[in-house]
Amino acid sequence: MNNKTKGFIYGAIAAASYGMNPLFALPLYAAGMSVDTVLFYRYFFAAIVLGILMKMQRQSFVLHKADVLPLVIMGLLFSFSSLLLFMSYNYMDAGIASTILFVYPVMVAVIMGVFFKEKISAITVFSILLALSGIALLYQGDGDKPLSTLGIIFVLLSSLSYAIYIVGVNRSTLKNLPTTKLTFYAILFGLSVYIVRLNFCMELQVIPSTWLWADTLALAILPTAISLVCTALAIHYIGSTPTAILGALEPVTALFFGVMLFHEKLTPRLMVGILMIITAVTLIIIGKSLIKKMGMLLQMNKK
C-alpha cells in the first residue's frame, strides 16, 4: 500500500469517525444526561487516550511559556465549538446540525480575507452565497415547519468557533507543536469549561449503565481521539486539501446514522440544501487549484 492510498484511508476514517458524534451523544441524552456531563466525559477520557498516545510516541509534555496562553485560548474555542454543537442537538436533527457545521471552511476563507487580507476569489464569493442558500433551504425544515432558529444559531456559532480555532492555530506559534500534543492540551484546557459549568463537578451526573459507559468511551475514542489522529496522518500523507475534501464524509455519516437509527426525516428540500452546502465547501477547498488548472488548460489551447 503506497502513502497516497494510506492517506486517503486515514482521511476517510477521520471524517467518518467524526460524523459519529450523534451516534454516541444522542443515547446519552435519552438517558437523561446533560450536555455538560456528556462533554465532560468525552473530553476527560479523550485527554487520557491522547496522553497515553503521547507516552507511546515518547513525546514530552513540557510546554514553553509562550505556548500556554495561546493553548488556553484555543482550548476554550475548541470546547465552546463542541458545547454549541451538542446543545444544537436538543433543537434540531443531529444530521442537519452536522451539515450546517460543515460551513466552517467557508468561514475560514472569510476570516482570512477580512482580517489577513487574503484575496477572496469569485469562486469563494459564489461558494459563500451557495452555502447561505443551502442553509436557508435547511431552515425551511420539513414542510411548513421551520428548523429551530436557536438551534441554527448554536450550530453557526459552533462552526465560527472552530473556524477561529483553525485560523488561530495556523497563525500562531502553535503550528510548530506536534499535532497530538496540541490536541491533548487543547482538550485538557477545554475540559475546564465543563468543570466550571458543572459547578466544579458537583453537578456531574453518574453514567447509569454499563452500556452507556461503553457509549461514553466510544464517544471519547472514535469521533475525538481517533478522528484527530487520523486527520493528522492524512495531512502527512496526502496534504490538507484532499483531507479537507474527505471531510465531506462527516455530515454524510451523521445523516446516515440520524436517518437509519434515530428516524430523522430527510426530505427532498433538505437533500438539496445539504448538497448545496457540501458543494460550496468543496469549491472553497479546491477553488485555487481549480482556477490554476483552468488557466493552464487555456494557455495550452492557445498554443
Side-chain angles (χ1 to χ4, degrees):
M1 187 183 297
N2 59 38
N3 287 343
K4 191 173 182 180
T5 304
K6 287 180 183 178
F8 280 113
I9 291 173
Y10 283 129
I13 292 172
S17 58
Y18 190 80
M20 292 180 181
N21 267 315
L23 175 64
F24 303 117
L26 295 182
L28 296 172
Y29 287 179
M33 294 175 67
S34 69
V35 172
D36 294 302
T37 293
V38 171
L39 284 169
F40 173 88
Y41 286 122
R42 178 193 182 191
Y43 273 57
F44 178 77
F45 289 120
I48 292 174
V49 170
L50 288 165
I52 293 170
L53 186 60
M54 284 180 66
K55 273 289 186 182
M56 291 172 62
Q57 295 174 343
R58 298 185 178 180
Q59 290 188 31
S60 171
F61 286 86
V62 177
L63 288 174
H64 297 294
K65 286 184 179 179
D67 292 332
V68 175
L69 182 58
L71 272 172
V72 170
I73 295 171
M74 293 305 107
L76 293 176
L77 282 169
F78 196 85
S79 186
F80 279 120
S81 178
S82 297
L83 176 61
L84 290 161
L85 176 64
F86 275 50
M87 286 172 66
S88 75
Y89 292 166
N90 289 322
Y91 296 91
M92 62 199 303
D93 288 347
I96 303 302
S98 298
T99 302
I100 297 174
L101 177 73
F102 194 55
V103 302
Y104 69 83
V106 177
M107 292 186 175
V108 169
V110 173
I111 291 169
M112 294 303 292
V114 172
F115 294 100
F116 297 97
K117 308 304 178 185
E118 281 198 0
K119 187 178 179 182
I120 299 179
S121 66
I123 286 183
T124 300
V125 173
F126 173 74
S127 298
I128 292 168
L129 294 174
L130 189 63
L132 291 174
S133 300
I135 292 171
L137 279 179
L138 294 183
Y139 181 72
Q140 292 299 316
D142 184 18
D144 296 325
K145 184 182 178 182
L147 295 179
S148 165
T149 301
L150 188 58
I152 288 182
I153 290 171
F154 281 152
V155 182
L156 290 176
L157 288 175
S158 172
S159 186
L160 179 61
S161 296
Y162 189 57
I164 297 172
Y165 169 83
I166 291 172
V167 174
V169 169
N170 289 333
R171 288 282 171 167
S172 69
T173 57
L174 298 181
K175 65 182 178 183
N176 299 320
L177 282 180
T179 303
T180 308
K181 187 174 183 176
L182 168 65
T183 308
F184 169 77
Y185 279 107
I187 285 177
L188 194 64
F189 289 127
L191 181 63
S192 64
V193 171
Y194 310 111
I195 293 174
V196 172
R197 284 177 60 87
L198 289 165
N199 194 19
F200 294 91
C201 295
M202 295 298 292
E203 298 174 12
L204 181 66
Q205 295 168 279
V206 177
I207 300 172
S209 68
T210 304
W211 169 250
L212 290 178
W213 265 103
D215 196 78
T216 303
L217 291 173
L219 179 65
I221 294 170
L222 284 168
T224 311
I226 286 180
S227 178
L228 292 168
V229 170
C230 285
T231 297
L233 289 169
I235 291 171
H236 173 72
Y237 284 120
I238 59 175
S240 57
T241 298
T243 302
I245 293 171
L246 287 168
L249 288 172
E250 292 173 16
V252 173
T253 304
L255 280 166
F256 172 80
F257 287 120
V259 173
M260 296 300 293
L261 299 181
F262 302 109
H263 309 294
E264 296 177 357
K265 293 182 179 180
L266 190 60
T267 64
R269 183 197 294 271
L270 295 179
M271 290 176 68
V272 172
I274 290 162
L275 183 62
M276 289 172 73
I277 291 172
I278 292 175
T279 302
V281 173
T282 304
L283 285 173
I284 282 283
I285 294 165
I286 67 172
K288 289 182 180 178
S289 60
L290 187 63
I291 291 172
K292 187 176 179 181
K293 286 179 181 178
M294 288 175 66
M296 290 174 63
L297 285 172
L298 287 171
Q299 288 181 355
M300 289 174 65
N301 289 334
K302 286 180 180 178
K303 293 178 180 179

